[in-house]
Amino acid sequence: IPTSDPFLSDGNTWYANQWGSDVVLALLYNYTSWHGAAGLIFLTFIFTYFVVMAFGCKKLTSNVSLSIIACLLAFKVGQIHFLIRPVAMSFFLFASVYLLITHCAKLWEEYQEVPKSYLIIIPLLFVIWTNLHPFFLLGLILVALWPASLFVSNLLRIETVDFKSKRFLVPLGIFVSCCLATIINP
């Protein structure tokens, strides 16, 4: 396990903060050469933009043509990152967390219960994401927006939320469990 990087740092201690992606890409390269690594990145982007995002956009807007246009535009903007790099896996995880959190928030607004499976799935995504790429911090910001928005709307008197009620503790609990999940990183 390397502890210093003569190429990217000035000899200071080096931390492999995307070791999981490095292992996945190295194994693919060892068994399939560049074809496998490039194929994984290609499939990750296609799955992210045209399955996860399209499904999520359709669910949020109920408009198929608008969902397709949004996904094509997002795909075009993200095209600069179509490289064999660990960041590609963050796109998929960010889109997945976004869809799960927006679904939870929608259920919450309709006074429905958040599925218990989401309380496990979302932190598990962060355990994986933490070990794949440092962009998991953007996901934490995304998850933090839900309880933060409740806090701000309470301050501005838009909606009164009892901070000891389940209505506030569920979004806060999801955020705290995601933060704790990021500690599981060797």
Side-chain angles (χ1 to χ4, degrees), residues 20-35:
S21 296
D22 293 340
V23 168
V24 169
L25 291 173
L27 287 172
L28 273 170
Y29 177 79
N30 285 342
Y31 291 106
T32 63
S33 83
W34 288 111
H35 303 292

Side-chain angles (χ1 to χ4, degrees), residues 59 97-123 143 146-147 150 165-175 177-178:
K59 198 169 188 175
V97 168
Y98 172 75
L99 292 176
L100 290 169
I101 289 296
T102 54
H103 184 66
C104 288
K106 188 175 182 181
L107 291 173
W108 186 90
E109 286 175 7
E110 297 169 353
Y111 289 90
Q112 295 179 18
E113 188 150 335
V114 173
K116 301 258 188 270
S117 60
Y118 283 25
L119 304 177
I120 297 168
I121 291 170
I122 297 171
V143 174
W146 186 17
L150 297 175
S165 74
K166 190 176 182 181
R167 299 249 325 133
F168 182 71
L169 292 178
V170 168
L172 184 64
I174 290 173
F175 172 66
S177 64
C178 289

